[in-house]
Amino acid sequence: MSRGMRRGLTSYGDPGFSLFLRKAFIKAAGFSDDALDRPIVGITNTFSDFNPCHGNVPRLIEAVKRGVMLAGGLPMEFPTVSIHESFANPTSMFLRNLMAMDTEEMIRAQPMDAVVLIGGCDKTVPAQLMAAASADVPAIQLITGPMLVGHHKGEVLGACTDCRRLWGQHRAGTIDEPEIEEVSGRLAPTQGTCMVMGTASTMGCLAEVLGMALPHSGSIPATHADRIRAAEASGRAAVRLAADALRPSEILTQAAFRNALVTLQAIGGSTNGLVHLAAIAGRRGIRIDLEEFDRIGREVPVLVDLKPSGGHYMEHFHWAGGMPRLLREIRDHLDLSARTVAGEPLAAALERAEDVPGQTIIRSRQNPLKKTGAMAVLRGNLAPDGAVIKHSAASAALLQHTGRAVVFEDVEDLTRRIDDPDLDVAADDVLVLRNAGPKGAPGMPEAGYLPIPKKLAQAGVKDMVRISDARMSGTAFGTIVLHVSPEAAVGGPLALVRTGDRIRLDVPDRRLELLVDEAELDARRREWAPPEHLQTEQRGYRGLYLRTVLQADEGCDFDFLRAGPGPGGRTVARTPDT
Ligand code: FES
């Protein structure tokens, strides 16, 4: 395999000329022959004025370059798509696969012996790991890092669990307009990603346990000097990865994905983490087994005391020892021989884990935050291919509940009617939102956190059972059933629910049932038609998305981007030899 500038030459029918021309052009940028003979480390530049979660990327790139050069390599920075949660219409999930395709093809097209992927905001790390898994060029993930906490009236605040909590209070009339404006300036006080255990923090932790990021690097605050040092170390490590030709395919194995599922339960991670893991695994021809994930959750408790399941923030997790310390606590569930970009097996990180006297953020197995894992997988006639609930952040009293369905046809219908004083709804009803899945919305928006109807919120109702084919921000909380598959827009049973039907949720029994007899459901099925946007030809990326996006249980990747045997391929059902 050719190295450095000789890799992947542009096709002119004369390789010598291709190299000559490539060097002629790059010399215009002032590079010497000595520099151009070095191994090349590509560095993704995902800085964007629209992405404050990546505000520190320029400084990280500078430090990665320093690390690469100290180790004798040539760093080459290149731009890719960058996505921020609040600046992506219709949703960031709609664009994740675009970023993954862009990143994969740029890694493949340009000559690099290794690549440092700098990401942080929710969809960027999954997109980059999907790209790395497919391009299979030695790669290391560098996380931009979480923000520091905010403060308001003596209370510690964090994006975005407290964004939702305080907005809920504003809707209920207990926080007025001037105060909510003041709060908006205090929730996200520094550059970096949301600092609760939302999707960004979850993916930072998972990048470490998957072996794709350096140990204890995923949780360093974005603004801390250690973050810069981690960038330098990642640059050095990338040169070593290039020399060893250690590829993502040797790191992203079945064992690594099972380790990630264990971790996702123990950290009280985001439900989105499960979708992203399915997508990354799919790129290696590995299928995430939801039943195995559920079994793990019955054995592995939530040990990390972070919002929304607990009470603290990522900087506290980091200084309590971060991932290495947590992994030591759950070591008997992990395959410690899994390889990592540090050039050592996962076991090495655990051995170096710091013991912080008196810390209470990373709990022991004897004193867990929750006795079981964060999430449960539900099945039943309403979700034949599964649905997910983050029961660690739900109301215990609602985990077994039967109630009357109040149905919203789509996100627009929800927006129009949820606060209508005439809406026929009571506290023990079940709110149902449909046509908000991968194809329905499209882009599977984080609309699963249906607001409590205003009149109930004002009466003091804080939680209700809510069910949808949408996603939910990892920072949110409540008794919320998500990712109902198949979604309503492709004819899943959610499409058949009518206001007034009875729905039974039984989390201990893992069931989600629509209590309507089969003959009636068949009659409704015959009347059903797909939403209009799926019946008309769509152009461009939107058309590609609507034609090829998979359901949530398969990671919402495009069907043609998965690798290996595809659906029904290898599973992550194996118990590791420990
Ligand atoms: Fe970027 Fe939350 S908005 S991580």
Side-chain angles (χ1 to χ4, degrees):
M1 161 74 79
S2 302
R3 301 238 156 209
M5 279 292 151
R6 289 170 179 75
R7 286 176 71 104
L9 291 170
T10 309
S11 181
Y12 294 116
D14 177 349
F17 177 69
S18 295
L19 182 61
F20 166 74
L21 206 59
R22 175 173 283 177
K23 283 195 167 177
F25 279 113
I26 200 73
K27 282 182 176 177
F31 288 96
S32 66
D33 284 321
D34 179 28
L36 297 177
D37 274 345
R38 305 291 176 124
I40 297 175
V41 173
I43 307 168
T44 62
N45 184 351
T46 52
F47 177 80
S48 160
D49 282 340
F50 288 112
N51 194 346
C53 297
H54 289 204
N56 61 349
V57 163
R59 287 198 68 202
L60 295 181
I61 289 175
E62 188 189 319
V64 173
K65 285 184 171 177
R66 185 166 65 241
V68 170
M69 288 192 280
L70 285 170
L74 173 65
M76 298 288 283
E77 166 190 341
F78 64 99
T80 73
V81 167
S82 185
I83 309 168
H84 183 275
E85 281 305 293
S86 303
F87 288 91
N89 180 280
T91 74
S92 60
M93 192 65 174
F94 179 72
L95 296 168
R96 184 202 62 181
N97 296 350
L98 179 68
M99 182 174 177
M101 289 171 77
D102 173 17
T103 307
E104 174 188 342
E105 296 306 330
M106 288 299 101
I107 293 171
R108 193 175 277 132
Q110 300 169 134
M112 58 189 84
D113 301 296
V115 61
V116 179
L117 304 156
I118 306 179
C121 197
D122 292 14
K123 305 303 175 294
T124 60
V125 172
Q128 291 177 332
L129 289 175
M130 291 159 73
S134 294
D136 208 22
V137 168
I140 183 166
Q141 182 78 56
L142 175 63
I143 303 293
T144 59
M147 305 171 202
L148 299 181
V149 296
H151 299 267
H152 178 66
K153 290 187 170 174
E155 194 189 351
V156 177
L157 293 186
C160 240
T161 304
D162 296 308
C163 315
R164 291 168 211 287
R165 183 174 59 81
L166 296 173
W167 184 253
Q169 290 177 18
H170 175 56
R171 281 174 54 80
T174 53
I175 289 185
D176 62 17
E177 200 64 43
E179 187 178 350
I180 201 73
E181 275 304 313
E182 196 172 35
V183 164
S184 80
R186 295 177 173 181
L187 281 161
T190 71
Q191 291 176 339
T193 57
C194 293
M195 64 295 225
V196 298
M197 190 52 81
T199 306
S201 303
T202 298
M203 292 311 301
C205 294
L206 296 185
E208 271 192 58
V209 74
L210 283 169
M212 291 297 292
L214 291 177
H216 209 183
S217 70
S219 53
I220 307 168
T223 49
H224 199 283
D226 281 349
R227 173 58 58 204
I228 304 294
R229 279 187 279 275
E232 186 185 301
S234 298
R236 280 181 181 273
V239 176
R240 195 175 55 241
L241 285 175
D244 297 346
L246 180 58
R247 295 171 180 278
S249 53
E250 296 164 78
I251 295 173
L252 294 171
T253 60
Q254 284 190 320
F257 285 109
R258 195 181 186 285
N259 287 345
L261 293 178
V262 170
T263 302
L264 187 56
Q265 294 284 18
I267 60 178
S270 162
T271 44
N272 288 315
L274 191 57
V275 178
H276 296 320
L277 277 177
I280 301 162
R283 297 299 186 99
R284 298 293 339 143
I286 296 171
R287 190 177 172 84
I288 295 292
D289 181 340
L290 293 178
E291 261 57 48
E292 170 69 351
F293 179 61
D294 189 80
R295 274 194 295 281
I296 291 169
R298 292 177 189 267
E299 294 172 13
V300 178
V302 178
L303 295 179
V304 177
D305 186 1
L306 255 59
K307 287 185 176 180
S309 300
H312 300 276
Y313 300 90
M314 278 301 275
E315 63 185 272
H316 306 131
F317 175 60
H318 183 70
W319 301 121
M323 281 295 289
R325 182 66 190 79
L326 171 71
L327 296 180
R328 207 164 78 193
E329 213 54 56
I330 53 175
R331 64 182 307 150
D332 51 340
H333 290 278
L334 301 172
D335 184 337
L336 298 176
S337 66
R339 301 180 78 175
T340 73
V341 290
E344 306 171 314
L346 193 62
L350 278 63
E351 278 155 25
R352 285 196 293 274
E354 192 180 344
D355 272 318
V356 178
Q359 69 85 14
T360 59
I361 309 298
I362 302 169
R363 302 285 192 88
S364 68
R365 295 289 294 275
Q366 294 69 42
N367 179 33
L369 184 74
K370 311 272 175 184
K371 287 196 176 68
T372 60
M375 283 173 239
V377 176
L378 308 171
R379 302 262 181 192
N381 70 346
L382 198 48
D385 293 339
V388 175
I389 182 167
K390 188 172 183 176
H391 54 136
S392 63
S395 303
L398 290 174
L399 293 178
Q400 282 179 303
H401 180 81
T402 301
R404 187 189 69 125
V406 175
V407 180
F408 298 93
E409 202 54 44
D410 51 30
V411 177
E412 289 70 35
D413 184 35
L414 174 77
T415 310
R416 209 167 38 242
R417 291 197 295 127
I418 190 76
D419 288 341
D420 184 342
D422 295 330
L423 180 68
D424 177 16
V425 66
D428 60 353
D429 286 342
V430 174
L431 302 180
V432 174
L433 169 66
R434 64 181 166 219
N435 294 314
K439 290 187 191 237
M444 206 179 178
E446 291 187 339
Y449 182 74
L450 282 75
I452 303 293
K454 200 166 195 166
K455 65 180 182 185
L456 296 180
Q458 285 169 341
V461 176
K462 297 226 164 16
D463 194 10
M464 294 173 72
V465 174
R466 289 159 269 180
I467 299 173
S468 74
D469 46 13
R471 293 177 303 115
M472 171 174 92
S473 165
T475 63
F477 51 90
T479 310
I480 297 173
V481 178
L482 303 156
H483 311 177
V484 170
S485 299
E487 63 177 309
V490 298
L494 201 63
L496 309 179
V497 186
R498 291 186 180 165
T499 292
D501 289 347
R502 307 283 293 169
I503 291 178
R504 182 164 65 90
L505 169 68
D506 188 337
V507 177
D509 201 29
R510 304 297 196 254
R511 302 302 295 171
L512 183 64
E513 304 284 356
L514 176 60
L515 305 178
V516 174
D517 67 54
E518 217 22 69
E520 169 64 16
L521 290 180
D522 277 344
R524 292 183 192 179
R525 205 169 277 121
R526 283 192 290 277
E527 286 172 21
W528 178 82
E532 211 175 296
H533 69 271
L534 292 179
Q535 300 182 59
T536 53
E537 194 58 35
Q538 304 271 344
R539 66 169 290 283
Y541 178 74
R542 183 182 163 96
L544 179 72
Y545 182 96
L546 290 173
R547 286 190 297 275
T548 64
V549 73
L550 295 165
Q551 292 294 289
D553 59 315
E554 295 184 308
C556 302
D557 201 359
F558 294 156
D559 56 12
F560 61 91
L561 292 175
R562 287 164 69 93
R570 287 179 289 155
T571 62
V572 189
R574 190 168 53 91
T575 302
D577 307 320
T578 50

